[in-house]
């Protein structure tokens, strides 16, 4: 993917409104990556710098280029309010009218919802893992019980009887 990404970076290098760039999340870029929820590498993000979204598309040059051409453009935001529809303008204006403390409280409340959703997901995945482990152990115990009850011996006797029957023919 690196050569394709480098080619895309070069394609957009002179743009005044579009940025395609690398951030080394293991070095000086770590705080930026942490602030934007980067957990694995490579991660591609796009959109308004203060509200980056995860890119889920193809990783080859053609897919990246098509996505960039269609999506990397100025978008509705406080900095580009003229690009917003009336409903989004009203929403932005209402948020802009809030005090810094009230806005921070709203942001914190929404971030808490994200954290709760992530924790719920992790808890439920752990329950699934625990159930899987329990079922796997139960299955292994049942298999062992069947074998201990003489299944192997029964199969040996069946094979011997089958051989004896063939020998008599």
């Amino acid at each position: 993917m690196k050569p394709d990404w480098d080619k895309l970076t070069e394609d957009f290098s002179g743009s005044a409104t579009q940025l395609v760039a690398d951030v080394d999340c293991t070095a000086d870029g770590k705080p930026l990556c942490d602030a934007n929820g980067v957990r694995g590498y490579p991660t591609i993000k796009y959109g308004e710098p203060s509200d980056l979204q995860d890119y889920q598309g193809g990783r080859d040059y053609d897919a990246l280029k098509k996505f960039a051409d269609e999506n990397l453009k100025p978008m509705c935001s406080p900095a580009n309010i003229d690009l917003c529809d009336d409903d989004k303008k009203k929403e932005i204006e209402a948020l802009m009218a809030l005090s810094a403390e009230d806005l921070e409280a709203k942001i914190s409340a929404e971030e808490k919802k994200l954290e709760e959703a992530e924790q719920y997901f992790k808890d439920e995945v752990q329950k699934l893992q625990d159930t899987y482990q329990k079922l796997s152990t139960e299955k292994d115990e049942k298999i062992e019980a069947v074998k201990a009850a003489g299944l192997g011996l029964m199969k040996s006797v069946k094979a011997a009887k089958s051989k004896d029957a063939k020998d008599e023919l």
Side-chain angles (χ1 to χ4, degrees):
M1 183 181 136
K2 180 78 168 121
D4 290 337
W5 186 258
D6 290 343
K7 183 176 178 185
L8 188 70
T9 301
E10 182 62 31
D11 289 350
F12 287 89
S13 65
S15 175
T17 58
Q18 301 161 308
L19 173 65
V20 176
D22 304 321
V23 175
D24 184 351
C25 293
T26 63
D28 293 340
K30 186 167 178 15
L32 179 64
C33 295
D34 291 345
N36 286 287
V38 174
R39 293 183 181 88
Y41 312 109
T43 295
I44 299 174
K45 299 269 189 174
Y46 71 96
E48 180 66 26
S50 61
D51 184 31
L52 294 175
Q53 304 299 312
D54 290 327
Y55 171 74
Q56 301 294 336
R59 301 291 178 116
D60 61 75
Y61 175 78
D62 291 337
L64 291 165
K65 177 78 166 112
K66 182 177 189 295
F67 182 86
D69 287 340
E70 293 172 0
N71 295 281
L72 297 186
K73 56 189 172 195
M75 300 170 71
C76 168
S77 69
N80 293 305
I81 201 158
D82 56 311
L83 300 175
C84 303
D85 62 30
D86 289 340
D87 290 339
K88 192 55 81 172
K89 283 180 185 176
K90 287 179 187 171
E91 188 178 347
I92 291 171
E93 289 165 359
L95 291 170
M96 295 289 282
L98 294 174
S99 68
E101 295 81 21
D102 289 344
L103 184 57
E104 184 58 41
K106 284 180 124 1
I107 290 169
S108 293
E110 295 305 310
E111 286 177 339
K112 185 173 190 242
K113 290 177 187 177
L114 290 175
E115 290 168 11
E116 289 169 350
E118 184 67 29
Q119 189 58 52
Y120 175 77
F121 173 77
K122 287 179 180 178
D123 292 345
E124 293 302 310
V125 167
Q126 186 59 52
K127 287 178 189 175
L128 288 171
Q129 184 63 36
D130 293 345
T131 300
Y132 170 81
Q133 190 61 45
K134 180 182 172 219
L135 290 170
S136 182
T137 300
E138 288 174 3
K139 177 194 78 151
D140 292 345
E141 289 170 355
K142 288 177 182 178
I143 289 171
E144 217 29 65
V146 168
K147 288 178 180 178
L151 177 61
L153 183 59
M154 290 178 210
K155 287 182 175 181
S156 294
V157 169
K158 179 182 173 187
K161 282 183 151 191
S162 189
K163 184 179 184 275
D164 289 344
K166 286 183 185 175
D167 288 346
E168 288 179 10
L169 293 176

